[in-house]
Amino acid sequence: MGYVDEVLAKVKEKNASEPEFIQAVQEVLESLKPVIDANEEVYRREALLERLVEPDRQFKFRIPWVDDKGQVQVNVGYRVQFNNSIGPYKGGIRLHPSVNIGIIKFLGFEQVLKNSLTSLPIGGGKGGSDFDPKGKSDREIMAFCQSFITELYKYIGADVDVPAGDIGTGAREIGYMYGQYKRIKGLYEGVFTGKGLTYGGSLARKEATGYGLLYITQELMKKHGESMEGKVVAVSGAGNVATYAIQKAQQMGAKVVTCSDSTGWIYDPEGIDVALLQEVKEVKRARLTEYAKARPSAEYHEGKGVWTVKCDIALPCATQNELLIDDAKALVANGVKAVCEGANMPTTIDATKYLQENGVWFIGGKAANAGGVATSALEMTQNSERLSWTFEEVDAKLQQIMVNIFHNIDDAAKRYGMEGNYVAGANIAGFEKVANAMLAQGVC
Ligand code: NDP
Ligand code: 2IT
């Protein structure tokens, strides 16, 4: 058995109850085979892959908080510090009832390679809780966030581990978490990113993941002699990533005809009205039925269905494993040209292979959604300098970073004879930098 297969077999055996983690590792290791084969002796001796797939450390803790009825509630919190060979641990905090250690580990593992691709000095980590922010009052959200940080503060710091947003964690939650950290530590430091603009946040961070997704998609189209102008785009999700992906796609002249949340989806043949979507989701925190009520051109459907719509470009921006093999078949049958992942691991391994085998240009999340964390790193830089850059400055840097990522992953795939396989290219380019840093730093 080759080194990759041996390590993969061990990962499967040791983490049998963590299917998402196994999926993430499998996708990466299998595509790294040519690189590993070329360096097998050194990597084996150094146990490089065994070290890469085992987090540096992981924390699990109780989060007690009091709801509006006076009832004590208990949630579980996690932080996985995966790898800090190229910079402090960096990655978001997910608040969703589905959160467990396997989900946080898969996200942390992907974050290591994604952060490497940004070319900025950030390692990988991820955290979260099974707390469900839906339907909670502001006071309940604050009580939860304060309790979460009362435990987490021990493990984070501006040069140690810098959390940010993810599903269920936006500016409101980051604000409460930052306030509690500052209160306990007595330190005003850039320990979170995605902060409010009045206390150290960066302009364009809110937009960055969605905008970055479109900057790389545009570069992909350009390589294939196409542009975004006039393209029909299907987006899933209706949160932070989806909203700003839709906005930027429309600024580029495309028409986005769908969005979705966990209960249903919208088909709006005239193009999604972003201002209305922001009002429904960011201000009212309501369901997409409210969007359909206010927009005569929109149809609302219960359940899943975004990928059944005819489109040129599909951008999954909701959550993991939301684009399955049958969705991939429907997209191909409808003539999709490109699929770029705004979410983390939204496409299953078989669906990814089907899309690639049928000539669809596919960029995985590690590259395609790296604009969010890249801009987080720019927020860290601004905090260190005690300066804030203009929206245009940050946006221009983001654009350059995404264009560079595209060319790096394209080149990496070419170097190993896999031209056009941007998934392999991203895994290889992300891995090379981390692997070199790990080898240079010795056994640790
Ligand atoms: P938000 O919480 O803002 O939005 C998530 C959206 O996805 C909501 O519309 C939500 O619907 C939907 N969704 C979540 N879980 C499910 C589910 N199990 N089934 C169906 N729909 C679901 O999160 P973000 O936009 O920040 O994150 C979206 C994805 O992008 C995630 O995979 C995240 O890890 C990834 N990502 C985020 C970055 C960021 O900067 N925020 C950066 C890079 C990647 P509902 O409201 O009904 O739950
Ligand atoms: O998945 C991700 O890259 C994020 N949720 C953003 C992480 C960050 O630190 O900005």
Side-chain angles (χ1 to χ4, degrees):
M1 215 192 275
Y3 184 35
V4 162
D5 293 322
E6 267 173 44
V7 173
L8 193 53
K10 269 190 238 157
V11 167
K12 287 181 178 170
E13 192 189 318
K14 281 175 68 181
N15 305 277
S17 61
E18 299 170 2
E20 292 85 1
F21 178 61
I22 292 173
Q23 182 183 342
V25 172
Q26 180 170 346
E27 186 233 82
V28 169
L29 292 191
E30 284 182 347
S31 72
L32 286 179
K33 267 185 185 162
V35 188
I36 307 299
D37 288 350
N39 300 280
E40 173 150 357
E41 208 187 314
V42 177
Y43 287 176
R44 248 185 207 279
R45 191 184 61 230
E46 298 294 330
L48 189 78
L49 293 183
E50 288 88 338
R51 286 195 275 153
L52 189 76
V53 299
E54 188 66 37
D56 288 357
R57 64 194 67 78
Q58 54 198 54
F59 305 102
K60 179 179 181 194
F61 47 90
R62 182 175 68 236
I63 312 167
W65 57 280
V66 182
D67 73 14
D68 284 348
K69 296 190 188 108
Q71 174 67 48
V72 176
Q73 301 286 346
V74 178
N75 288 102
V76 183
Y78 305 92
R79 186 76 185 166
V80 172
Q81 296 181 335
F82 220 108
N83 186 306
N84 68 350
S85 52
I86 60 173
Y89 304 107
K90 180 86 197 84
I93 289 177
R94 177 173 293 191
L95 303 181
H96 193 273
S98 62
V99 164
N100 57 44
I101 189 64
I103 300 258
I104 299 299
K105 276 173 64 185
F106 116 65
L107 290 163
F109 178 72
E110 298 241 305
Q111 200 83 47
V112 174
L113 299 173
K114 181 197 307 190
N115 293 3
S116 165
L117 284 176
T118 66
S119 76
L120 300 167
I122 38 178
K126 201 84 185 190
S129 170
D130 60 356
F131 173 76
D132 185 0
K134 273 201 202 90
K136 302 291 190 299
S137 69
D138 276 355
R139 195 211 59 82
E140 288 175 324
I141 297 283
M142 182 170 74
F144 167 82
C145 289
Q146 290 184 338
S147 186
F148 183 71
I149 292 301
T150 301
E151 196 59 36
L152 187 69
Y153 87 92
K154 297 166 196 166
Y155 314 122
I156 60 178
D159 294 314
V160 180
D161 182 354
V162 182
D166 194 79
I167 290 178
T169 306
R172 175 181 59 170
E173 292 73 22
I174 295 291
Y176 292 145
M177 290 181 194
Y178 187 65
Q180 184 71 352
Y181 178 86
K182 185 168 63 73
R183 187 175 170 209
I184 297 175
K185 278 268 185 102
L187 259 184
Y188 207 98
E189 61 168 356
V191 63
F192 285 89
T193 59
K195 300 186 290 299
L197 297 177
T198 51
Y199 60 93
S202 174
L203 284 160
R205 173 62 187 88
K206 182 177 70 173
E207 293 83 357
T209 313
Y211 279 21
L213 174 64
L214 267 296
Y215 294 143
I216 201 167
T217 304
Q218 185 176 46
E219 201 60 21
L220 170 73
M221 299 303 282
K222 213 160 102 185
K223 174 181 164 178
H224 292 279
E226 303 233 18
S227 78
M228 293 301 296
E229 186 71 41
K231 294 291 181 300
V232 175
V233 180
V235 168
S236 65
N240 174 263
V241 179
T243 300
Y244 295 97
I246 296 170
Q247 185 173 69
K248 184 51 76 180
Q250 292 184 343
Q251 286 171 7
M252 290 174 171
K255 181 151 68 158
V256 182
V257 293
T258 64
C259 64
S260 65
D261 64 16
S262 54
T263 47
W265 61 285
I266 293 285
Y267 174 60
D268 191 341
E270 288 187 7
I272 298 291
D273 177 341
V274 174
L276 175 60
L277 185 65
Q278 286 171 310
E279 175 68 20
V280 170
K281 283 293 174 186
E282 291 179 1
V283 182
K284 293 189 182 150
R285 298 180 188 275
R287 311 310 303 161
L288 283 175
T289 42
E290 298 298 310
Y291 177 95
K293 266 190 218 157
R295 178 96 169 150
S297 59
E299 293 168 15
Y300 175 80
H301 301 271
E302 287 287 324
K304 262 192 79 172
V306 161
W307 313 126
T308 61
V309 170
K310 188 170 170 53
C311 63
D312 302 304
I313 298 170
L315 305 174
C317 297
T319 192
Q320 65 275 359
N321 294 332
E322 52 151 323
L323 200 164
L324 314 178
I325 183 72
D326 288 343
D327 302 316
K329 287 181 180 165
L331 285 167
V332 168
N334 278 327
V336 75
K337 291 181 172 173
V339 175
C340 300
E341 296 184 327
N344 286 308
M345 207 170 74
T347 315
T348 56
I349 293 180
D350 55 348
T352 303
K353 283 192 182 137
Y354 185 86
L355 291 167
Q356 290 175 318
E357 282 163 11
N358 283 277
V360 177
W361 312 320
F362 183 96
I363 306 187
K366 288 182 216 87
N369 70 40
V373 74
T375 308
S376 278
L378 300 178
E379 182 171 329
M380 291 165 73
T381 307
Q382 293 169 77
N383 292 165
S384 299
E385 305 189 310
R386 298 183 194 281
L387 289 173
S388 341
W389 306 337
T390 63
F391 189 96
E392 290 69 25
E393 277 177 279
V394 181
D395 190 37
K397 287 188 166 64
L398 168 63
Q399 208 162 336
Q400 196 55 56
I401 289 167
M402 298 312 296
V403 168
N404 288 345
I405 291 176
F406 179 76
H407 293 289
N408 286 340
I409 68 175
D410 191 22
D411 290 346
K414 280 184 202 153
R415 268 193 279 125
Y416 285 91
M418 293 187 278
E419 177 157 17
N421 186 342
Y422 305 113
V423 173
N427 290 335
I428 292 167
F431 169 80
E432 283 178 335
K433 185 171 165 193
V434 174
N436 287 340
M438 287 174 73
L439 292 176
Q441 290 169 25
V443 181
C444 58

